[in-house]
Amino acid sequence: MKLEKELIDKKFNDIDEKVDFIIELCQTLQAENADLTSKLGILESELKEKTEKEGQYSEQQAAIQAKIDGLLSKLDNFSEIL
């Protein structure tokens, strides 16, 4: 009878330790998840900013190319007149 009680107590202690381990693991994973979620938000924000800047750069390049084309056209017209 005493042996059975000791065995039951041991099993409950083992289960208690495993539950404590699982709780600690869950808390660690929750903290890691929160950290990764925060990092993801920062990276998404940086990507959005870079995408917007890339769009602005493309627009500037298109405007510069249009001006160059216009000047070249004027030069061609001028050289034809001469």
Side-chain angles (χ1 to χ4, degrees), residues 61-75:
Q61 289 296 99
I64 290 169
Q65 187 63 47
K67 287 181 181 180
I68 290 172
D69 290 343
L71 291 172
L72 289 173
S73 177
K74 284 182 182 180
L75 285 173

Side-chain angles (χ1 to χ4, degrees), residues 5-63:
K5 184 179 182 319
E6 288 176 6
L7 186 62
I8 290 172
D9 285 344
K10 184 180 182 321
K11 286 189 179 192
F12 272 114
N13 286 337
D14 289 344
I15 291 171
D16 191 41
E17 287 177 16
K18 289 177 182 177
V19 167
D20 287 344
F21 174 77
I22 289 173
I23 289 171
E24 285 181 36
L25 182 61
C26 285
Q27 290 172 339
T28 301
L29 291 173
Q30 285 175 336
E32 186 178 335
N33 187 40
D35 188 37
L36 291 172
T37 300
S38 174
K39 287 179 182 177
L40 178 62
I42 291 168
L43 290 172
E44 286 175 338
S45 176
E46 289 175 358
L47 178 62
K48 182 180 177 185
E49 184 179 327
K50 287 180 181 180
T51 302
E52 289 172 356
K53 286 182 180 180
E54 189 177 272
Q56 292 170 353
Y57 177 77
S58 294
E59 289 174 7
Q60 288 175 346
Q61 289 296 99

